[in-house]
Amino acid sequence: MTPGRPAHGERTLRRPELCPLWLAVHERLSSGRTVTRVRVGPLDDAQREALADLLGLDRLPDARPSVSLARLEEAVGELWGRTLRETVTALVGPPADRAAERHRRADERAGLWAWLEAHDTVRAQPALAAWAASCRATGLVGGSAERTRALLTDALAVLAALPALAEPLPVFAARVLRGDSHALDDGTRLSALVLRALAALRDTDPPRSAEARRAVWAGAGIATDELSATVLVGGLRPDGGGLAARVAAACAEDGQAASLTLGHVRNAGEFTLPTAPEAPAPVVHVVENPSILALALRRFGPRCPPLVCTSGWPNSAAIQLLRLLADRGATLRYHGDFDGEGIRIAAYVLDKTPARPWRMSAADYRAAVMSHPVGPRPGRVTAAPWDAELAGAMSAHGTSVVEELVAPVLLGDLAPDGSGVCSSDGW
């Protein structure tokens, strides 16, 4: 035998006429399933003759024969001394294991969606659960779990960084997304994903027009000027020569509310909170509705304790102020409406700041419903991360309790002299 020349058995197996057979066997072995027969064809006469010679048949097989792999195993073993799998590997290439690959991809997908559902940002704001479910329903980006996870990771990073501080969208994108100023450009997959999440937080439809998309971004602090975003405060008496401290303290001394702009808060300068020996950590109460702040100022005047009002969904000025107060040592306590949106707002505030709930438990809701059993429907209620029973209680009673209805209880908590719940007379 000439050195390097294939042996007779290998030459036989490498006949071009047998190529359809080896391709069909390779395909079947790649399925990852147990295989006993393989169907080949349609074969021409030369291919049928080659198959008959290989299997030792006394007549030509059909044009689409079903070949026994056991018989084929015997034939290649006799001709080449190798197994059928070894032969196919040598002639075509290593068979894949598509069943294992399908299981691997299924595990990847399951792991991806479990990761998304359990992500801190989604768990902290349960209204995002609907967004996470829509992401799963949409499926993988390009069929790739890895690409999808990367996209979702960026979207979650954006959501965690909002609200922005009056930054243009390209500036915000560059700061949050590895210097890519175009990552959130209109029309990008990431931009659409984030806008859908912001709409889910507010229980609205995703924005469809360019104007609507700009409005959603503006609500998240993007490209808002430092004057448009304001936050109401009352009874706040910070020390320091900064403008924010002087404005807030002057209004508190007169028993009036102060409207601080984002510019005031961002450039607060010297801003410290006075402490008392019996209460080293000053407490700042936060409410959702301006009417509560107005009632507190009417009730307490210059003796009003520190209050911040988010006026519904908190803008960048409100979030920045609450973070500033927490940085200066304040303990933040938040209260809002007992309705679907109120719970979503509360979850947002608690996620974006160190605030803790204030009379926002299921027990507080049930007590409020006892006094006010009739009210509007609460709308879509999402889970409250701070109390696992609250959403169920609200759904069971089917009524909302707005903040104004529990004002006597809240003002009783705020009474500087500890006088307890005040009367509603004379408000």
Side-chain angles (χ1 to χ4, degrees):
M1 182 173 65
T2 303
R5 184 180 179 185
H8 173 73
E10 183 179 353
R11 291 200 307 272
T12 298
L13 297 176
R14 290 186 181 276
R15 292 176 60 183
E17 294 84 359
L18 291 177
C19 185
L21 171 66
W22 304 131
L23 291 175
V25 173
H26 184 276
E27 175 70 15
R28 293 293 286 137
L29 291 179
S30 296
S31 69
R33 301 187 179 96
T34 301
V35 182
T36 59
R37 305 188 71 83
V38 61
R39 187 169 293 280
V40 192
L43 302 179
D44 59 27
D45 289 346
Q47 292 167 340
R48 294 165 66 198
E49 289 178 2
L51 180 58
D53 290 344
L54 175 63
L55 299 179
L57 304 178
D58 55 6
R59 59 181 180 177
L60 295 181
D62 295 335
R64 294 180 179 272
S66 175
V67 180
S68 165
L69 293 193
R71 178 66 191 93
L72 198 55
E73 187 83 51
E74 294 177 3
V76 299
E78 291 172 1
L79 282 169
W80 203 8
R82 297 189 180 185
T83 66
L84 180 58
R85 180 173 289 272
E86 291 171 341
T87 300
V88 170
T89 298
L91 300 178
V92 180
D97 189 342
R98 286 195 294 272
E101 181 65 15
R102 284 192 296 271
H103 284 111
R104 185 187 67 78
R105 290 182 179 179
D107 289 343
E108 278 188 351
R109 290 193 299 272
L112 169 67
W113 304 128
W115 163 80
L116 177 60
E117 292 169 3
H119 194 279
D120 288 346
T121 297
V122 176
R123 291 175 66 87
Q125 300 182 63
L128 289 175
W131 170 75
S134 73
C135 293
R136 182 170 189 164
T138 301
L140 302 181
V141 176
S144 168
E146 182 178 358
R147 287 179 57 190
T148 306
R149 185 184 286 256
L151 178 68
L152 289 169
T153 297
D154 284 348
L156 291 163
V158 170
L159 293 172
L162 293 173
L165 301 178
E167 296 169 287
L169 191 57
V171 175
F172 172 80
R175 177 170 65 83
V176 176
L177 298 169
R178 304 172 298 281
D180 187 353
S181 61
H182 297 289
L184 293 170
D185 284 358
D186 203 24
T188 62
R189 193 189 299 270
L190 178 59
S191 175
L193 191 61
V194 173
L195 289 170
R196 278 170 45 204
L198 294 175
L201 281 175
R202 290 159 174 78
D203 197 24
T204 61
D205 293 331
R208 298 188 180 279
S209 66
E211 182 180 1
R213 290 190 289 273
R214 285 193 296 271
V216 173
W217 282 123
I222 293 293
T224 303
D225 63 79
E226 292 192 340
L227 301 180
S228 299
T230 62
V231 55
L232 291 172
V233 301
L236 191 62
R237 294 175 173 81
D239 295 327
L243 180 59
R246 299 200 313 270
V247 170
C251 290
E253 289 302 320
D254 282 349
Q256 299 294 322
S259 180
L260 302 179
T261 68
L262 177 59
H264 291 153
V265 179
R266 289 188 69 182
N267 303 286
E270 188 181 354
F271 188 103
T272 59
L273 298 176
T275 59
E278 67 276 9
V283 177
V284 176
H285 289 83
V286 187
V287 295
E288 178 185 339
N289 297 285
S291 54
I292 303 300
L293 176 58
L295 290 172
L297 289 170
R298 186 185 305 178
R299 164 79 179 186
F300 304 119
R303 298 172 62 245
C304 184
L307 269 176
V308 176
C309 177
T310 67
S311 300
W313 280 95
N315 58 29
S316 51
I319 295 297
Q320 182 73 356
L321 176 61
L322 295 179
R323 290 173 176 171
L324 174 65
L325 292 169
D327 288 343
R328 298 300 188 269
T331 297
L332 305 178
R333 295 177 179 167
Y334 178 83
H335 188 278
D337 292 332
F338 281 117
D339 61 12
E341 185 170 39
I343 299 305
R344 288 188 288 276
I345 293 174
Y348 185 82
V349 172
L350 301 186
D351 180 43
K352 297 298 182 180
T353 75
R356 300 271 55 88
W358 167 36
R359 291 196 178 273
M360 289 291 288
S361 69
D364 295 314
Y365 170 74
R366 293 188 184 101
V369 170
M370 289 287 289
S371 300
H372 307 281
V374 179
R377 299 287 298 177
R380 186 173 72 88
V381 178
T382 50
W386 62 91
D387 190 327
E389 297 182 8
L390 179 54
M394 292 175 63
S395 298
H397 285 282
T399 186
S400 60
V401 180
V402 296
E403 205 170 23
E404 290 80 358
L405 293 179
V406 296
V409 177
L410 302 180
L411 296 186
D413 288 347
L414 296 174
D417 56 3
S419 58
V421 177
C422 57
S423 168
S424 60
D425 297 337
W427 286 355

